[in-house]
Amino acid sequence: MPSKVPFVKFSNNVEYPLLGLGTWKSKPNEVYQAIKDAIDIGYRHFDCAHVYQNEKEVGAALSEKMNGGEVKREELFITSKLWNTYHKKELVVPALKQTLENLKLDYIDLYLIHWPFGLKEGDELFPKDKDGKFIYSDSSYIETWKGMEECAKLGLAKSIGLSNFNSKQIKAILDIAEIKPVNNQIECHPYLNQSKLIEFCKQNDIVVTAYSPLGSPDRPFAKSGDPVLLEDPKLKELAEKYNKTPAQILIKYQIQRNVIVIPKSITKSRIASNLDVFDFNISPEDMEILNSLNKPNGRMVSVAHYADHPDYPFLEEF
């Protein structure tokens, strides 16, 4: 691991790099090259998920680099996520085994419940009825967590955690957990700075990972007129002041908050640029300017089409 990427320590004493490469929206043919480029550049932390439908290509790239002796398995930190159609307890271990097969790995470093709500079990990733409405599972995320604990006990996952859970849902897990979650991965950037949820997680020994740290400009459901974080005048001003790109400012913002950050790119120059954030620090005053950009409607990934699910997480304040 290039020494310049700092680590954060989970509550189970496992250390994890604060900066990784995200793979959401990376097309299978593109992600293969992106992973290889990233390893060459110095990345060792890769964020994956079953629903991204590109884990086989990620696995092919990882195994090529490991077989070539360019990186050892113990130097890699691989995260994946359990999809919503596998929330029943007995489906969790088989789902992880499928992910491990796709990634060509014997264990995952961090396995997360992707969302707190379950969808109807089966092979369809987004099951709908004849009227086009999503079909939900009758499982609960409490049951799902018991399956996650099995993954840890079997040694298939070194660490387990959550994604997109609000404070009440996290509390419900902590109340029953035999193995406590070490991580909660959430959308996080200055337009949605998540300071209350981050503080709640910190109090409960849970490290936060920021997804869409650049405001997810390429999200498939963006509408014209949506705010574009990377074009924010105050952010651009700070980028000029520090002689960095707006993306580098946004990445460093999370690192200085001790929040893991996983910007996604498939472009080699940008993958390299996103790692080039360890030769400067943002002043406390400028961190405050970034925090002040928080908006009441700053969420870019609201998955509002699931808002009628009782476990939809974004109706709580945090």
Side-chain angles (χ1 to χ4, degrees):
M1 187 69 185
S3 57
K4 61 184 179 181
V5 178
F7 284 75
V8 66
K9 192 177 269 194
F10 290 154
S11 60
N12 61 359
N13 286 323
V14 170
E15 290 192 319
Y16 227 74
L18 266 169
L19 178 59
L21 182 75
T23 62
W24 178 40
K25 305 181 301 290
S26 295
K27 296 184 182 77
N29 56 325
E30 296 167 338
V31 81
Y32 171 73
Q33 191 58 46
I35 297 285
K36 294 202 300 178
D37 289 342
I39 288 174
D40 293 343
I41 289 161
Y43 285 77
R44 295 295 180 265
H45 166 188
F46 298 96
D47 183 83
C48 312
H50 175 76
V51 77
Y52 302 165
Q53 298 181 67
N54 58 12
E55 288 193 327
K56 282 186 177 171
E57 291 74 18
V58 171
L62 293 175
S63 64
E64 189 176 315
K65 287 295 181 185
M66 286 191 281
N67 293 341
E70 289 157 86
V71 68
K72 297 188 181 81
R73 172 64 184 99
E74 57 272 21
E75 295 169 340
L76 292 169
F77 297 82
I78 314 297
T79 300
S80 187
K81 307 178 200 84
L82 175 82
W83 185 237
N84 307 358
T85 51
Y86 302 99
H87 273 211
K88 289 202 181 292
K89 184 189 173 192
E90 66 274 13
L91 298 178
V92 179
V93 168
L96 175 51
K97 285 182 173 172
Q98 180 61 60
T99 272
L100 291 173
E101 189 181 315
N102 290 343
L103 291 169
K104 297 181 162 58
L105 298 174
D106 298 326
Y107 66 90
I108 205 85
D109 296 275
L110 177 62
Y111 198 43
L112 309 175
I113 302 179
H114 205 148
W115 292 91
F117 49 82
L119 296 173
K120 178 178 175 283
E121 297 71 27
D123 294 331
E124 274 183 71
L125 290 174
F126 303 98
K128 292 179 179 175
D129 65 17
K130 61 182 189 315
D131 301 321
K133 271 182 64 90
F134 287 102
I135 311 171
Y136 297 140
S137 167
D138 59 1
S139 59
S140 86
Y141 55 79
I142 298 294
E143 172 189 354
T144 315
W145 187 251
K146 290 296 168 195
M148 297 290 283
E149 291 179 331
E150 282 301 306
C151 294
K153 288 174 188 171
L154 291 167
L156 299 173
K158 294 248 166 156
S159 301
I160 51 175
L162 311 167
S163 180
N164 296 301
F165 276 58
N166 66 38
S167 58
K168 286 190 173 170
Q169 294 168 329
I170 295 167
K171 175 82 173 63
I173 294 281
L174 290 170
D175 285 346
I176 59 92
E178 208 180 315
I179 302 171
K180 298 210 179 305
V182 300
N183 182 246
N184 187 28
Q185 184 176 128
I186 53 176
E187 180 186 345
C188 186
H189 43 74
Y191 283 177
L192 182 73
N193 70 34
Q194 298 276 22
S195 53
K196 286 184 176 172
L197 186 51
I198 289 171
E199 185 50 41
F200 174 85
C201 287
K202 195 172 158 187
Q203 286 167 2
N204 288 286
D205 259 348
I206 293 169
V207 171
V208 169
T209 297
Y211 75 73
S212 299
L214 312 181
S216 197
D218 63 343
R219 63 195 184 281
F221 33 80
K223 298 188 291 295
S224 65
D226 281 354
V228 181
L229 173 59
L230 286 166
E231 290 169 16
D232 188 283
K234 284 187 178 169
L235 175 63
K236 284 177 148 177
E237 239 173 77
L238 289 177
E240 271 177 46
K241 174 180 172 178
Y242 289 95
N243 197 24
K244 288 288 178 182
T245 66
Q248 287 169 326
I249 298 290
L250 293 172
I251 292 163
K252 187 67 173 198
Y253 167 72
Q254 301 295 0
I255 289 168
Q256 285 187 210
R257 304 165 93 202
N258 219 31
V259 167
I260 295 173
V261 59
I262 47 168
K264 168 257 170 185
S265 181
I266 50 158
T267 311
K268 189 171 185 177
S269 59
R270 214 169 283 151
I271 292 170
S273 170
N274 288 348
L275 192 68
D276 185 22
V277 292
F278 298 103
D279 57 353
F280 78 108
N281 282 307
I282 303 170
S283 73
E285 300 76 33
D286 291 338
M287 287 292 285
E288 275 315 302
I289 289 173
L290 289 166
N291 278 328
S292 75
L293 299 179
N294 195 52
K295 296 173 183 288
N297 58 345
R299 191 180 295 282
M300 308 288 183
V301 186
S302 69
V303 296
H305 41 277
Y306 298 118
D308 61 341
H309 193 291
D311 293 328
Y312 178 74
F314 301 144
L315 302 176
E316 294 295 328
E317 187 198 349
F318 65 93

